[in-house]
Amino acid sequence: MAKKEVDGEGVNIPNRIKALPVKRPGPIVAAVIVVLLAAMLIQGLITNPRLDWPTVWKYLFNENVLEGIRYTLELTVISMVVAIILSVILAIMRKSINPVLRGVSWFFIWFFRGTPVYTQLIFWGLFAVLIPKISLGIPFTSVEFWSIDSNVVVTAFNAAWIGLALNEAAYLSEIVRAGLEAVDPGQTEAAKALGMNRTLIMRRIVLPQAMRIIIPPTGNETIGMLKTTSLVTAVPFTLELQFATNAIANRIYKPIPLLLVACFWYLLITSILMVVQSRLEAHFGKGFNARPVGTKGKQPPYDPQYPGKSDGEPKDDVNKINQTTFAGLNA
């Protein structure tokens, strides 16, 4: 009865207005249009004989295609691991007090961002032509202590991931630098006041907070790297997924079904990477987003006697609603 009086129900109010909810037909109309377009697209994909779905199913798990997937994943993983390590080093060099380190980092980023990745891959493919032998000795003399043919070291696979990693490092370094600069300088000052050195501050204070900003664009770059591996034919490296499907298409004179095979595998791998990215974002975003805290994980109802309590919580505890946004450690 008390609740009804609070809500105004059961109270004799003259000329009470019976308000009706506002009708919003927009979402319904948009849903109908989307369903119709989707049905038309699916119907066209199924009934179009030029797509040749039997050929798609025949080569979807072809051994050459599966081998191409393996090499594509290897190139993506190796290139991104090397690029991430280099990008962190380059970003720290850009923020260094040493002008030489800043200059080297700036030149690296300027060069590899300023030239197309396809052109860079061609140069790495011609590395053995440009430098036939790799040697170690006294500079500006003919004295050599050790030497090896470039073809032995810079193989087609190595040239592919080196070219991809160096190019990607130039882009990732700017992402890492933006993440580092987004951390409040007061965090570094507080850590210095506690006696921490620069390396420990970067590893324990700055980088963990910067990861929340670095992870989303890095995930996008990883997905982009997966598709950029199709350019390693410039090296030439001819075992990745796109070249494998093209080789089959050229042999059977059916390019469209094999393009669909490549699209299917790229979409599948990209979907998995997107799930991994979302999990990483949730992990490194812990404590940054406001959220209610309670035994049921939802905001508790208002109780004038026990404010801030959800069902099942002890009534003598404090209010556990997290109404702030975590902004870092406070000194």
Side-chain angles (χ1 to χ4, degrees), residues 6-278:
V6 172
D7 296 338
E9 297 293 337
V11 180
N12 186 16
I13 300 177
N15 300 323
R16 178 189 294 273
I17 298 176
K18 297 293 184 180
L20 298 176
V22 179
K23 294 182 179 180
R24 294 183 173 85
I28 299 177
V29 174
V32 172
I33 294 174
V34 170
V35 169
L36 289 176
L37 292 177
M40 293 170 59
L41 177 62
I42 294 173
Q43 190 269 343
L45 291 175
I46 295 175
T47 59
N48 192 338
R50 296 176 181 84
L51 297 179
D52 196 357
W53 289 107
T55 302
V56 173
W57 307 132
K58 178 180 178 181
Y59 289 99
L60 190 61
F61 297 98
N62 180 270
E63 57 181 7
N64 293 329
V65 173
L66 296 179
E67 184 181 19
I69 294 172
R70 179 173 69 86
Y71 278 108
T72 297
L73 292 176
E74 288 181 1
L75 286 173
T76 302
V77 172
I78 296 174
S79 300
M80 286 305 300
V81 169
V82 175
I84 289 172
I85 295 173
L86 287 177
S87 65
V88 174
I89 296 174
L90 290 169
I92 295 174
M93 290 171 62
R94 283 292 297 271
K95 294 174 66 64
S96 173
I97 60 176
N98 189 329
V100 176
L101 295 180
R102 292 201 306 269
V104 171
S105 176
W106 179 89
F107 178 82
F108 183 98
I109 296 171
W110 168 78
F111 179 81
F112 284 99
R113 286 204 309 175
T115 54
V117 61
Y118 190 83
T119 304
Q120 296 174 29
L121 289 171
I122 293 176
F123 270 104
W124 281 107
L126 297 174
F127 183 84
V129 177
L130 298 171
I131 305 175
K133 184 172 62 174
I134 301 174
S135 60
L136 179 64
I138 300 176
F140 310 110
T141 67
S142 59
V143 179
E144 293 183 358
F145 304 117
W146 173 84
S147 65
I148 190 174
D149 290 337
S150 298
N151 288 322
V152 178
V153 178
V154 187
T155 61
F157 180 80
N158 290 340
W161 70 259
I162 290 173
L164 292 174
L166 293 179
N167 179 266
E168 185 62 35
Y171 291 92
L172 280 179
S173 63
E174 293 297 282
I175 294 174
V176 174
R177 184 173 65 88
L180 296 179
E181 292 181 350
V183 178
D184 192 339
Q187 303 291 311
T188 302
E189 296 173 1
K192 288 180 179 179
L194 295 175
M196 301 174 68
N197 58 40
R198 292 176 60 87
T199 303
L200 188 60
I201 292 172
M202 182 63 65
R203 183 168 58 89
R204 298 295 299 273
I205 305 298
V206 178
L207 274 179
Q209 297 183 65
M211 291 299 290
R212 181 177 65 94
I213 300 173
I214 295 173
I215 287 296
T218 301
N220 293 338
E221 291 294 321
T222 303
I223 294 173
M225 175 63 73
L226 173 72
K227 294 174 286 186
T228 306
T229 56
S230 61
L231 299 178
V232 296
T233 53
V235 171
F237 182 74
T238 59
L239 296 177
E240 50 82 35
L241 176 59
Q242 186 62 58
F243 190 92
T245 55
N246 287 344
I248 298 174
N250 294 334
R251 187 172 70 249
I252 66 175
Y253 301 105
K254 292 183 178 181
I256 295 179
L258 272 300
L259 286 175
L260 292 176
V261 171
C263 287
F264 171 82
W265 285 113
Y266 279 121
L267 287 172
L268 178 62
I269 299 171
T270 299
S271 301
I272 297 173
L273 291 177
M274 290 175 64
V275 173
V276 174
Q277 176 185 345
S278 64

Side-chain angles (χ1 to χ4, degrees), residues 287-310:
F288 285 89
N289 299 321
R291 65 187 188 280
V293 178
T295 56
K296 294 188 176 182
K298 60 183 180 180
Q299 187 169 352
Y302 176 77
D303 189 333
Q305 185 177 1
Y306 303 107
K309 299 287 108 178
S310 59

